[in-house]
Amino acid sequence: SDWSSDVCSSDLTYEAGGTTGLEILQGIEGLEGVAGTVLGFFGGKNVVKAPREELLKAIRAGLDKICEAAHSQCDYMALPWAGLIGAPGDSGGFRLGAHLFLPTDVAVVGKGKFLIADTGNSLIKTVGIDFSGSEPKDAPYQVADTHRLEQYPLAVASTAADVAVAATATDSTLAKVTLRDGSSVLTGFAGVRHAYRCKRQDGDVRQPLGVPMGIASGKSGTFVADPYCSTIWKLDANGEAEDIRGKLKLPYNPLPACSDGPLALATFGAPMDVAVAADGSLWVADTICNSIRVIKDRFGGPDGVAAAFGKWAAGVTGWFKPDQAAALTALVGKADLGSLDAARWWVTTVAGSPDGKAGFRDGPAGQTLFNAPVSIALAEGDGKTYVFVSDVGNKRIRRLELPAHGP
């Protein structure tokens, strides 16, 4: 999300909502007259002849007066953004006049440019981009269909300027959507169709997936949250997936679900969604753990890894049998951790209960409680990281506000 530090709070209201006065007033059938009334009240011209900038200025002035009367800065406001209210269907065109059917995910691919996973229509739709030719063009406020998928997309992410990847969880795969030249679809781009499992079997040409859900792409790669396999997959450009915890094999029982620590040994409950921060760290909505967790390079290099890992291991060896604890101790004693280089990446519960307890409580991040968080998104700016969470069990959108470099 492109939020600039020099934009006032009222501007954030309109830009974050993805709206302008013209779209709000003219995009909904029957409200054209309201636009004219507003323009007249604020000294504007006829709505048909008025420049978009003039109408936007008028609407901003009107909304500012409402906020002042309510003694509120109106930092956030729920406004129509895409789709005709109360009219499911399938059509493109002007954003507020387009028809959608069960939209489940939105991906930001540029300033004013988005992808929508329109699940009910088995489509990925574009907003603000024209991909009809070989090069993408700006198409402000316009919605367009891509090539129809065979399965229902539950999430979407952009992996390149003209490529999107969609989670088609109903058949345990990901689909690749090439957007240019009118778009094309490659089904089964990642995963094994109808496999619903987490380990390779003889004959598998690629890594199977369980139930791929949320997808995010950024500096550190493309990642897929898989609640069935209780992990997150890292996806390469050829559709091969790898467990982000690596391939380390040790003679020990897994730690309990929701255990923090080195990525190679930490455990997840049911990660439903993931977001990638500008610094490459991963934010995870872990539904069963009822928590928000972050995965980041704790050291920025190998220095100090062994000491930190040794301290962590000393605190959990009581969980292991004597021979398993001895194996960990021997591993920590090595100058080079070798395959345990993933120990540089640590999992930390930032918000919600560290033992998976469900509930509702606002306040400092470490004292909050969530109930089945299923989706997560980031906005970075003003020296801060804003983490937005869909907390389904509490029927709320929750917001965490953290320093730019996070926890």
Side-chain angles (χ1 to χ4, degrees):
S1 181
D2 297 322
W3 286 17
S4 174
S5 59
D6 59 357
V7 177
C8 69
S9 61
S10 60
D11 285 336
L12 289 182
T13 299
Y14 315 115
E15 297 304 323
T19 58
T20 67
L22 183 60
E23 294 159 33
I24 297 172
L25 299 178
Q26 288 191 296
I28 303 175
E29 186 176 357
L31 294 185
E32 294 89 343
V34 177
T37 301
V38 171
L39 276 177
F41 184 76
F42 290 104
K45 301 176 182 179
N46 181 277
V47 66
V48 176
K49 298 180 180 179
R52 181 179 297 273
E53 293 77 12
E54 183 177 345
L55 182 55
L56 177 57
K57 181 179 179 180
I59 297 304
R60 285 181 174 177
L63 289 177
D64 282 342
K65 287 184 178 295
I66 294 173
C67 295
E68 290 172 6
H71 304 290
S72 171
Q73 292 184 343
C74 292
D75 292 326
Y76 298 92
M77 184 179 294
L79 295 170
W81 178 72
L84 194 59
I85 297 174
D90 179 15
S91 69
F94 180 64
R95 194 171 70 194
L96 282 177
H99 290 77
L100 306 173
F101 186 21
L102 195 60
T104 57
D105 194 28
V106 177
V108 181
V109 296
K111 188 172 180 60
K113 299 177 175 63
F114 308 86
L115 301 175
I116 298 177
D118 188 351
T119 307
N121 285 316
S122 293
L123 286 169
I124 300 300
K125 296 196 174 189
T126 63
V127 181
I129 326 169
D130 177 4
F131 280 109
S132 59
S134 58
E135 297 294 332
K137 299 179 181 178
D138 289 346
Y141 317 115
Q142 296 297 306
V143 174
D145 290 351
T146 61
H147 192 84
R148 194 173 300 274
L149 282 73
E150 295 181 7
Q151 299 294 330
Y152 303 103
L154 294 178
V156 64
S158 174
T159 59
D162 58 355
V163 175
V165 175
T168 47
T170 52
D171 70 352
S172 192
T173 63
L174 305 177
K176 179 180 179 181
V177 183
T178 301
L179 299 169
R180 65 178 182 274
D181 296 324
S183 80
S184 61
V185 169
L186 175 61
T187 58
F189 171 64
V192 177
R193 196 162 192 176
H194 302 303
Y196 308 108
R197 49 188 164 81
C198 312
K199 296 182 179 180
R200 287 180 183 264
Q201 294 181 357
D202 291 343
D204 286 342
V205 296
R206 61 178 68 245
Q207 171 67 47
L209 307 175
V211 179
M213 295 296 291
I215 308 177
S217 186
K219 175 181 178 180
S220 47
T222 299
F223 301 89
V224 183
D226 188 338
Y228 182 87
C229 293
S230 298
T231 196
I232 297 166
W233 304 101
K234 185 172 183 179
L235 187 70
D236 70 15
N238 298 315
E240 185 58 58
E242 180 181 357
D243 191 323
I244 61 167
R245 290 175 295 190
K247 301 177 180 179
L248 179 71
K249 301 297 182 184
L250 287 175
Y252 77 101
N253 297 324
L255 293 170
C258 313
S259 293
D260 289 343
L263 177 57
L265 301 175
T267 57
F268 297 93
M272 289 285 286
D273 197 16
V274 62
V276 184
D279 65 359
S281 59
L282 309 182
W283 289 79
V284 182
D286 194 330
T287 305
I288 285 183
C289 291
N290 294 300
S291 60
I292 305 305
R293 309 174 74 183
V294 66
I295 307 169
K296 65 185 303 181
D297 186 341
R298 188 169 173 177
F299 304 100
D303 296 342
V305 175
F309 180 70
K311 182 177 179 180
W312 173 86
V316 298
T317 50
W319 171 259
F320 303 116
K321 295 178 180 179
D323 59 334
Q324 297 170 341
L328 277 177
T329 302
L331 183 65
V332 172
K334 296 180 179 180
D336 180 5
L337 290 177
S339 60
L340 200 59
D341 187 55
R344 291 194 300 112
W345 292 81
W346 282 52
V347 180
T348 304
T349 296
V350 177
S353 174
D355 59 3
K357 177 184 177 182
F360 174 76
R361 185 166 61 223
D362 284 337
Q367 300 176 20
T368 56
L369 291 176
F370 288 78
N371 188 354
V374 300
S375 185
I376 191 167
L378 301 180
E380 298 178 84
D382 300 331
K384 295 180 180 179
T385 296
Y386 300 89
V387 184
F388 296 88
V389 181
S390 176
D391 190 356
V392 169
N394 287 313
K395 299 180 175 62
R396 287 174 168 88
I397 301 298
R398 313 277 297 277
R399 184 189 73 169
L400 303 174
E401 184 177 317
L402 302 160
H405 299 293

